[in-house]
Amino acid sequence: MRRTANVTSEGRQLYSDVVGDLVDLTPQTAVVASHGALVVIPIANVAIARLVPPSTADELALEEIGARGWQAAETEALGGWLLRANGGFTIRANSVHAVRQPRLPLDEAIDYARAWYAARDLPLRINLPTEGRRLLDAALGERGFEPSPDNHVMVARLDQLHGDALDTTVSGAPDEDWFARYRDGQGADPVSRALLLRHDRLGFATIRRDGAVVAIGRGVIDDGWLGVAAVEVAPQLRRQGLARAVMAALWQWGASQGAERSYLHVASTNPGAVALYASQGYWIHHDYRTRTELTPSAATDC
């Protein structure tokens, strides 16, 4: 946002720029969070205002934070590629996280990754932000790697999110009923259970009705970011505000742990979930997709 500043002795108008998050806007003032402080700018002083998309560096930094929030059992760094395997449970945990350049020429890196995944009976999948790694995306397409539908990484400032947590509880470790609710019981499997627990700053949200777990969610904290995942509601109780309550409880927990922002991953093919998160104050930061070599699939969904 460019605002008017002083006028020189020659009568020339000077301007100053404020870059940050717009956290409040009224007919009189705009409030921008910039470099850890709130800057109040009279609307009369605003010369130019425009939305600035995240930089490639911002996208890649958030991708790396997101990878820490969903940690595979096995990993190996190949320069800027992170090879991840987790017994085939979830694509994100069983794909190359390609946020930077590999330490080998591309074809050699692909050969190495293919052998690494073949040794684990997994197909070669490469996960990448579509804008930040657009040249790699195109190169993989030329080599016959099939793209998944895009997934959104949505973000929000916690101080701009508000909601009623109802009777949601958040604890550091889930009980067996929580695991049973996750993906219709898949959470009870040792492989998925270990993935869900593989982090040192975890919060598990739970709502119970008549003793039964009917809604859940998982939160992780990394570098001031709250990552939200595994938000699920019993089918017969959907559209009753339980997902919103789980989200609100995780925001409160995250803020209490020092987080200032939140991110989540959602498939672009799930418009209902995208609309829910947008209505709560999240916006699309960037997209990513998975490129898969044409071999039989061994992993479940995103």
Side-chain angles (χ1 to χ4, degrees), residues 167-232:
D167 52 355
T168 311
T169 60
V170 179
S171 63
D175 60 18
E176 294 303 316
D177 292 338
W178 194 102
F179 285 119
R181 171 57 54 196
Y182 179 68
R183 297 198 179 193
D184 296 324
Q186 290 186 51
D189 179 85
V191 172
S192 58
R193 179 189 297 254
L195 176 63
L196 291 162
L197 293 173
R198 195 174 292 118
H199 201 279
D200 58 2
R201 298 184 70 188
L202 286 164
F204 292 91
T206 305
I207 297 178
R208 293 180 181 272
R209 291 285 187 272
D210 298 323
V213 172
V214 296
I216 60 170
R218 174 185 184 265
V220 296
I221 307 290
D222 286 293
D223 295 348
W225 284 89
L226 164 70
V228 175
V231 177
E232 298 193 18

Side-chain angles (χ1 to χ4, degrees), residues 24 105 122 138 182 208 262 270 289:
D24 192 29
L122 295 170
Y182 179 68
R208 293 180 181 272
S262 175
N270 188 350
R289 66 169 58 120

Side-chain angles (χ1 to χ4, degrees), residues 133-165:
R133 298 307 314 276
R134 58 187 179 277
L135 295 180
L136 174 59
D137 187 36
L140 293 174
E142 292 170 356
R143 288 162 173 77
F145 282 70
E146 287 294 310
S148 70
D150 285 351
N151 294 282
H152 300 318
V153 179
M154 302 184 74
V155 300
R157 289 180 56 94
L158 288 182
D159 59 7
Q160 298 301 298
L161 300 176
H162 306 284
D164 187 349

Side-chain angles (χ1 to χ4, degrees), residues 7-8 72 83 95 129 164 166 176 211 251:
V7 177
T8 68
L83 281 58
S95 58
D164 187 349
L166 301 177
E176 294 303 316
W251 302 335

Side-chain angles (χ1 to χ4, degrees), residues 7-284:
V7 177
T8 68
S9 57
E10 295 82 12
R12 182 166 60 90
Q13 178 69 61
L14 298 179
Y15 299 90
S16 64
D17 292 335
V18 179
V19 179
D21 297 331
L22 180 65
V23 297
D24 192 29
L25 181 65
T26 73
Q28 292 76 39
T29 60
V31 180
V32 178
S34 180
H35 303 294
L38 293 178
V39 181
V40 180
I41 304 169
I43 294 297
N45 291 358
V46 176
I48 300 173
R50 68 185 180 95
L51 294 175
V52 180
S55 67
T56 296
D58 289 338
E59 291 183 12
L60 299 183
L62 186 52
E63 281 288 316
E64 291 180 326
I65 288 172
R68 287 156 55 190
W70 197 253
Q71 299 174 19
E74 297 181 81
T75 61
E76 180 180 336
L78 184 65
W81 285 13
L82 181 66
L83 281 58
R84 306 173 293 183
N86 197 78
F89 184 72
T90 79
I91 289 175
R92 269 195 288 151
N94 292 274
S95 58
V96 179
H97 195 222
V99 293
R100 305 188 189 279
Q101 296 294 328
R103 59 175 171 79
L104 299 172
L106 179 57
D107 287 326
E108 293 180 30
I110 289 172
D111 288 343
Y112 185 95
R114 181 187 298 115
W116 195 88
Y117 282 96
R120 292 157 179 81
D121 295 322
L122 295 170
L124 174 56
R125 288 188 168 101
I126 299 179
N127 197 57
L128 69 167
T130 54
E131 180 61 26
R133 298 307 314 276
R134 58 187 179 277
L135 295 180
L136 174 59
D137 187 36
L140 293 174
E142 292 170 356
R143 288 162 173 77
F145 282 70
E146 287 294 310
S148 70
D150 285 351
N151 294 282
H152 300 318
V153 179
M154 302 184 74
V155 300
R157 289 180 56 94
L158 288 182
D159 59 7
Q160 298 301 298
L161 300 176
H162 306 284
D164 187 349
L166 301 177
D167 52 355
T168 311
T169 60
V170 179
S171 63
D175 60 18
E176 294 303 316
D177 292 338
W178 194 102
F179 285 119
R181 171 57 54 196
Y182 179 68
R183 297 198 179 193
D184 296 324
Q186 290 186 51
D189 179 85
V191 172
S192 58
R193 179 189 297 254
L195 176 63
L196 291 162
L197 293 173
R198 195 174 292 118
H199 201 279
D200 58 2
R201 298 184 70 188
L202 286 164
F204 292 91
T206 305
I207 297 178
R208 293 180 181 272
R209 291 285 187 272
D210 298 323
V213 172
V214 296
I216 60 170
R218 174 185 184 265
V220 296
I221 307 290
D222 286 293
D223 295 348
W225 284 89
L226 164 70
V228 175
V231 177
E232 298 193 18
V233 177
Q236 70 275 17
L237 295 176
R238 289 172 184 166
R239 302 185 183 278
Q240 297 185 25
L242 298 186
R244 291 179 179 273
V246 164
M247 296 287 291
L250 289 173
W251 302 335
Q252 293 170 15
W253 172 80
S256 74
Q257 299 294 308
E260 297 179 348
R261 291 175 168 82
S262 175
Y263 71 88
L264 54 84
H265 295 180
V266 59
S268 63
T269 53
N270 188 350
V274 174
L276 168 65
Y277 300 135
S279 71
Q280 293 180 301
Y282 285 82
W283 55 276
I284 297 172

